[in-house]
């Protein structure tokens, strides 16, 4: 479905996606932070497994591998969750669509189909 401006009916509409971009960024940072905790866990598990399997050298390698996996996993999940949340905020709270013709800002009328707006409105 093509969007048109409710004010001047122009088809030149852009999506601003402000919260989505912010959410993705914040989610990645937050996810990396929580991923750091997971990385410590992963490092401990990895070094223990590595020690049993390959001795002291294996412990070091296992620790690195575990930390890397834990950190990456946290950052990725955080980023995705943040972007998803931002998408909801864009659609429900901010006027995500902007008319290039008259500058009118409005909410995407199709966004309500994907999410239940009742959850986000008081
Ligand atoms: Zn317009």
């Amino acid at each position: 479905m093509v969007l048109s401006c409710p004010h001047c009916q122009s088809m030149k509409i852009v999506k601003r996606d402000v919260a989505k971009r912010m959410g993705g960024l914040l989610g990645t940072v937050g996810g990396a932070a929580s991923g750091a905790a997971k990385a410590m866990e992963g490092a401990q598990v990895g070094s223990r497994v590595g020690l049993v399997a390959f001795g002291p050298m294996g412990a070091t390698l296992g620790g690195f591998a575990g930390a890397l996996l834990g950190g990456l996993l946290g950052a990725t999940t955080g980023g995705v969750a943040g972007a998803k949340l931002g998408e909801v905020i864009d659609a429900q709270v901010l006027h995500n669509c902007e008319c290039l013709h008259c500058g009118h800002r409005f909410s995407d009328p199709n966004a309500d189909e994907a999410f239940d707006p009742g959850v986000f409105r008081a």
Side-chain angles (χ1 to χ4, degrees):
M1 177 181 168
V2 184
L3 282 170
S4 65
C5 175
H7 192 252
C8 71
Q9 273 71 51
S10 167
M11 298 290 210
K12 288 178 182 166
I13 307 298
V14 285
K15 290 203 170 191
R16 294 160 68 221
D17 288 337
V18 180
K20 185 178 177 181
R21 273 181 239 142
M22 282 289 280
L25 186 70
L26 290 176
T28 305
V29 174
S34 82
K38 287 235 179 353
M40 295 297 287
E41 244 173 70
Q44 282 175 356
V45 174
S47 61
R48 236 176 274 145
V49 172
L51 185 65
V52 171
F54 305 108
M57 193 58 199
T60 312
L61 287 175
F64 272 126
L68 203 66
L69 278 176
L72 277 179
L73 210 67
T76 310
T77 16
V80 171
K84 206 72 205 159
L85 183 70
E87 211 172 282
V88 176
I89 294 173
D90 272 329
Q92 305 295 341
V93 182
L94 304 174
H95 289 166
N96 194 34
C97 300
E98 183 171 3
C99 174
L100 292 176
H101 185 73
C102 72
H104 184 69
R105 287 176 181 179
F106 55 100
S107 294
D108 183 352
N110 302 318
D112 282 2
E113 292 168 13
F115 302 102
D116 179 7
V119 178
F120 301 99
R121 283 181 197 145

